[in-house]
Amino acid sequence: MSAFTPVGRDALAVFLRGYSTGELQVHEGIGDGIENTSHFVTTDRCEMVLTLFETHSCEKMDHFLDLMAYMSEHGAPGTQPVAA
């Protein structure tokens, strides 16, 4: 079963202001998944996927984010995390 945490438009717009991703245009929940909630997000600057990791500890998240950043920096196709 997929976890799904609702993300309201107003709350997401405020959240995105903490990042250099632009102003929210559209977002849509992604129904597939096992442990995480994901949304397709389009701003006036980019398209991205917002993933809410619902079951991982901060220590595990550090590992995931470091791995995604490393892969992106070395040209591997995939996710590039956006940091605040």
Side-chain angles (χ1 to χ4, degrees):
M1 178 174 137
S2 174
F4 190 79
T5 298
V7 176
R9 179 178 177 76
D10 293 342
L12 180 56
V14 170
F15 174 78
L16 290 175
R17 289 186 190 127
Y19 299 86
S20 60
T21 57
E23 290 294 316
L24 177 63
Q25 303 293 308
V26 178
H27 81 291
E28 177 183 355
I30 301 171
D32 296 333
I34 298 172
E35 296 180 343
N36 307 316
T37 295
S38 296
H39 290 258
F40 290 120
V41 176
T42 302
T43 71
D44 59 351
R45 294 188 192 161
C46 63
E47 294 179 337
M48 65 189 116
V49 174
L50 170 68
T51 300
L52 305 175
F53 292 92
E54 304 198 30
T55 61
H56 298 301
S57 66
C58 290
E59 293 79 22
K60 281 188 177 182
M61 289 309 308
D62 286 343
H63 171 75
F64 286 129
L65 293 171
D66 288 345
L67 177 60
M68 288 187 285
Y70 177 85
M71 291 176 68
S72 177
E73 290 167 8
H74 290 84
T79 303
Q80 178 181 1
V82 176

